[in-house]
Amino acid sequence: MTTPILQDVERYYASRIRTHGATPEGVDWNGSQSQRLRFEQLLKVVPDHEQQEGFSLIDVGCGYGALLGWLREQGRVVDYHGYDLCPEMIAAAKQQHNVDDMTCFEVASAPSRQADYAVASGIFNVRQEVAVQAWEVYIATVLRQMDACSHKGFAFNCLTSYSDAPYMRDYLYYGDPCFYFDLCKRTYSRQVALLHDYGLYEFTLLVRKSL
């Protein structure tokens, strides 16, 4: 994990939240509806009975804690730990959400604890001027961290290389879903699901571990 990439990411999202505040636009999403749809896909990594009975979760690049708000709205029982590179994001998260014994927000570049599951939403999309190869090394590093900190599985999303060319942007990263499926299948678990059917120009990968 190279410091210049982390610094670029932190600066970008700090500028977003300064401009847009604790909103979907503040974490570079175009609205709450698509944000919620992404959360629904990511949380499919958690079996239904655990969602009802309770589970622990690490939210990688948590932003202002929108996922926690959605989980609480859904009535989920979750021991939640969110971390983000950007101090302004974490300050907004603590202001937006009640922090209790089951909730923690932290400024960090890597998880400081372990949990049942880890999820990452949107953190691989904004490449800016980083070379594609270097950005993919960065993604691979984060995935290794997510695997190491999760006991039962992890999930992440990424813009898809199957996006329509006229709408693709040079500063964004479009991952090959087949490549990442193969990477996760060969490296982390035999139980991997690729979701590419929920109406957005992206994909979600669910990696479930055998216990």
Side-chain angles (χ1 to χ4, degrees):
M1 188 84 72
T2 60
T3 300
I5 290 179
L6 298 181
Q7 290 174 339
D8 287 347
V9 170
E10 192 279 326
R11 281 194 294 265
Y12 179 84
Y13 284 101
S15 70
R16 295 294 299 182
I17 196 165
R18 289 187 201 120
T19 302
H20 299 284
T23 65
E25 292 79 7
V27 288
D28 223 25
W29 293 125
N30 57 15
S32 60
Q33 185 174 354
S34 61
Q35 188 183 51
R36 288 168 175 266
L37 181 56
R38 291 179 179 96
F39 293 160
E40 290 174 9
Q41 310 313 309
L42 291 166
L43 265 293
K44 288 178 180 178
V45 75
V46 183
D48 290 341
H49 72 277
E50 289 188 37
Q51 293 206 33
Q52 299 301 322
E53 297 166 3
F55 61 97
S56 56
L57 180 73
I58 294 175
D59 187 0
V60 181
C62 65
Y64 62 90
L67 176 57
L68 175 62
W70 180 82
L71 288 165
R72 287 176 170 174
E73 287 177 9
Q74 301 298 310
R76 302 295 185 246
V77 179
V78 56
D79 182 352
Y80 172 94
H81 176 78
Y83 74 89
D84 199 284
L85 294 169
C86 180
E88 289 162 276
M89 287 289 185
I90 294 300
K94 290 179 177 178
Q95 187 175 31
Q96 289 274 314
H97 306 282
N98 293 327
V99 177
D100 53 29
D101 292 342
M102 298 275 284
T103 307
C104 175
F105 289 106
E106 179 184 16
V107 178
S109 61
S112 60
R113 60 188 291 185
Q114 292 193 323
D116 295 328
Y117 301 95
V119 298
S121 183
I123 68 171
F124 301 136
N125 295 345
V126 185
R127 179 175 57 84
Q128 301 183 83
E129 297 181 0
V130 178
V132 170
Q133 185 176 9
W135 190 252
E136 290 177 341
V137 171
Y138 161 66
I139 292 174
T141 301
V142 176
L143 295 182
R144 285 195 296 271
Q145 292 175 344
M146 293 178 70
D147 174 61
C149 75
S150 59
H151 299 299
K152 298 181 179 181
F154 62 93
F156 65 95
N157 53 34
C158 186
L159 294 173
T160 178
S161 58
Y162 290 95
S163 297
D164 295 338
Y167 300 102
M168 297 172 80
R169 299 292 178 262
D170 290 343
Y171 71 96
L172 298 177
Y173 174 74
Y174 299 86
D176 180 347
C178 299
F179 169 80
Y180 284 103
F181 176 86
D182 186 71
L183 173 68
C184 291
K185 187 83 169 175
R186 293 179 183 276
T187 308
Y188 299 118
S189 175
R190 294 183 177 182
Q191 301 181 63
V192 179
L194 170 60
L195 309 180
H196 207 320
D197 61 348
Y198 51 98
L200 301 177
Y201 288 99
E202 64 177 49
F203 61 91
T204 297
L205 271 168
L206 313 177
V207 181
R208 300 183 179 95
K209 300 181 183 182
S210 299
L211 299 178

